[in-house]
Amino acid sequence: MIHPPVPVNEEERLTALYALNILNTDPEEEFDNITELASYISGMPISLITLVDETRQWFKSKIGTNICDTDRDVSFCGHAIMEPQNFMEVEDSHKDIRFHDNPLANGREKAIRYYGGMTLVNSAGVPLGTLCVIDTKPNKLNENQIKALKALAKQVEILIEARHKNFLLEKARQDLDDHNVLLKDFAGVVSHDMKMPLANMVLTADVIKKKYGDLIGEEGVKYLNQLKKSGLNLSDYITGVLNYYESEKLAKVEIEEIDLHNLLEDIIDLLGIEEDCEINFPKKNVNIRVNRSALEQILLNLISNSLKYNDKEKIVINLGFKEVPDYYVFTVEDNGIGVKQEEQELIFKLFSTLSITDRKGNNGHGIGLSTVKKLVTNLGGTVKIESELKKGTKFTFTILAT
């Protein structure tokens, strides 16, 4: 018996094989389909997809045997990978000097008398193992059968490459999910921890202004007002971040039946509107089954934007609703300042701010509308914007009807 030689690029070969993360994995239907087809085409009772590691040949897929692996130093596949470009055929192992006294070919059930194998290589041409067929009696394949087995081997290579890419993508997704969890936890902790000092800062500014306003003079009061404004602005920013990262929790709240007009009235009360404003509800009131908390947050953000980004003496907001198959459709339309066409694609991106200021001269934080999109998406819907500068903006969003 002649033991399989070691390829000159053995270190590179093993590195490539181990990097695939395929050794010792469970059977997969895609690979089993190919070994079944190889057995059928060749007429052989045994078909294997083997991967040759440092000490053994391991079977990713097997037909006609229950053995999971064998030692590399007695393997037929160890010889086959030495000439990866060729189909290796042993018509009768007892007449081949390499295998005539091989323990796999003698004195055992299903001893190998015929072997035909095509080497499997990666994209760089490095041999990994074989697709092989085996018979317990001498045999021979015709030219068409060998051609078909070579084609199947190419499909195995494609499967292995696709499997590896899917593995890398899944790992990247999991790493990203883990990172996002840490980021959410960090954002939550930092935001909560910052809200109290900010509230104290705003309160202290008011106290100083009231008690010592005469002593610090007009310029000192101006600085205190700026300090208070900055504190309130940062507090709003933190609240926006918390709302964004907690929006997934809102999407999991149970569905309930609500009166649409009652919901809208509650939202208007929460906003505490001081401006001259006309808000028109949908003409027809309906009861709908929705996630109230999530819908309330969506409408709060959109109506609040219609109030803030409006330069008209009288603000007009029209709220619309209709039902279509499987969906509820809501609209929030205003007579505000509008959004430039080229900026409308950016408006739903987190932390993306536009070149506009609100009614009080403040810049947005780029959180509210990204929260809206996230909530709408979690509710199975979509959101879009239609806007014209100085004429107004219309948001349309859908959510799945339940």
Side-chain angles (χ1 to χ4, degrees):
M1 183 186 77
I2 299 176
H3 295 295
V6 177
V8 293
N9 64 339
E10 179 69 354
E11 185 176 347
E12 177 190 0
R13 193 190 72 79
L14 290 174
T15 299
L17 175 61
Y18 296 144
L20 294 171
N21 291 286
I22 192 173
L23 290 171
N24 304 315
T25 56
D26 293 333
E28 296 175 52
E29 183 179 2
E30 296 84 355
F31 292 97
D32 292 343
N33 288 340
I34 290 181
T35 48
E36 286 186 16
L37 190 54
S39 178
Y40 174 78
I41 290 171
S42 65
M44 304 289 175
I46 301 171
S47 176
L48 307 168
I49 292 175
T50 73
L51 297 168
V52 181
D53 69 13
E54 188 174 7
T55 61
R56 61 180 179 148
Q57 57 174 4
W58 174 78
F59 307 144
K60 172 59 183 173
S61 178
K62 54 186 184 292
I63 298 294
T65 180
N66 293 321
I67 300 173
C68 295
D69 57 30
T70 61
D71 291 340
R72 179 177 175 178
D73 61 1
V74 296
S75 70
F76 283 61
C77 296
H79 289 273
I81 65 173
M82 295 304 297
E83 297 183 12
Q85 71 279 7
N86 297 325
F87 182 83
M88 176 177 142
E89 188 172 36
V90 179
E91 296 179 18
D92 186 349
S93 62
H94 289 181
K95 296 179 180 180
D96 191 306
I97 190 172
R98 294 171 294 178
F99 309 110
H100 70 92
D101 56 350
N102 187 304
L104 298 180
N106 295 277
R108 56 185 289 158
E109 185 182 358
K110 296 184 178 181
I112 301 174
R113 290 296 296 275
Y114 172 87
Y115 173 91
M118 186 64 202
T119 301
L120 305 171
V121 299
N122 67 5
S123 57
V126 177
L128 307 169
T130 71
L131 169 65
C132 63
V133 291
I134 294 170
D135 204 346
T136 56
K137 64 182 186 300
N139 211 327
K140 182 175 175 59
L141 295 179
N142 62 44
E143 184 178 338
N144 287 333
Q145 287 174 312
I146 292 175
K147 184 178 180 181
L149 289 175
K150 286 182 177 180
L152 286 178
K154 184 59 65 177
Q155 292 306 307
V156 176
E157 293 170 357
I158 293 171
L159 270 179
I160 290 174
E161 183 70 19
R163 185 186 185 281
H164 182 53
K165 287 180 180 178
N166 286 338
F167 171 81
L168 294 177
L169 285 172
E170 179 60 26
K171 185 177 184 300
R173 186 196 65 79
Q174 187 59 55
D175 289 344
L176 185 60
D177 286 347
D178 293 343
H179 177 75
N180 283 339
V181 168
L182 291 173
L183 183 60
K184 288 178 184 179
D185 291 343
F186 175 77
V189 170
V190 171
S191 298
H192 281 296
D193 288 351
M194 289 178 67
K195 285 184 75 69
M196 184 56 70
L198 278 172
N200 289 336
M201 183 178 77
V202 171
L203 181 61
T204 301
D206 280 338
V207 170
I208 293 175
K209 186 167 60 173
K210 185 174 182 180
K211 278 193 171 185
Y212 306 106
D214 294 337
L215 294 176
I216 61 177
E218 184 177 336
E219 187 172 0
V221 171
K222 177 183 175 182
Y223 289 138
L224 286 175
N225 287 334
Q226 289 177 349
L227 179 64
K228 178 180 178 179
K229 181 180 179 181
S230 297
L232 291 172
N233 193 37
L234 183 55
S235 181
D236 288 342
Y237 181 81
I238 290 170
T239 299
V241 171
L242 285 173
N243 287 338
Y244 180 82
Y245 284 114
E246 291 176 356
S247 59
E248 289 183 5
K249 296 178 183 178
L250 282 182
K252 297 175 183 177
V253 174
E254 291 186 5
I255 302 299
E256 60 181 295
E257 185 170 313
I258 64 168
D259 179 294
L260 180 58
H261 279 190
N262 283 346
L263 172 69
L264 294 174
E265 287 168 359
D266 289 344
I267 290 172
I268 302 307
D269 289 341
L270 285 172
L271 288 169
I273 301 171
E274 298 177 352
E275 295 85 359
D276 183 6
C277 180
E278 175 186 320
I279 298 181
N280 300 307
F281 285 9
K283 291 181 180 179
K284 181 181 178 182
N285 189 25
V286 293
N287 286 342
I288 55 177
R289 286 183 52 78
V290 293
N291 178 330
R292 179 189 173 103
S293 298
L295 179 58
E296 186 174 73
Q297 185 65 54
I298 293 167
L299 291 169
L300 267 171
N301 274 293
L302 293 179
I303 297 173
S304 177
N305 270 8
S306 292
L307 292 167
K308 289 192 296 183
Y309 296 100
N310 199 306
D311 57 354
K312 306 301 188 295
E313 187 174 337
K314 181 176 182 178
I315 299 171
V316 179
I317 302 173
N318 296 313
L319 305 177
F321 171 83
K322 66 179 179 179
E323 292 185 60
V324 298
D326 300 324
Y327 288 93
Y328 297 134
V329 182
F330 298 85
T331 57
V332 178
E333 185 174 9
D334 62 53
N335 63 338
I337 61 178
V339 180
K340 294 179 182 178
Q341 183 68 36
E342 62 270 21
E343 293 183 335
Q344 291 177 21
E345 291 185 5
L346 303 174
I347 203 165
F348 296 108
K349 293 184 178 180
L350 184 61
F351 302 130
S352 177
T353 56
L354 307 184
S355 57
I356 54 177
T357 56
D358 66 18
R359 198 174 181 88
K360 297 180 180 179
N362 298 318
N363 292 107
H365 303 302
I367 301 175
L369 289 176
S370 60
T371 302
V372 166
K373 184 173 183 179
K374 191 174 183 182
L375 282 168
V376 169
T377 301
N378 288 339
L379 295 176
T382 59
V383 59
K384 68 176 183 179
I385 178 177
E386 301 170 66
S387 187
E388 189 174 347
L389 277 179
K390 299 183 179 180
K391 291 188 176 181
T393 300
K394 179 180 179 180
F395 287 97
T396 302
F397 68 93
T398 63
I399 60 176
L400 274 174
T402 57

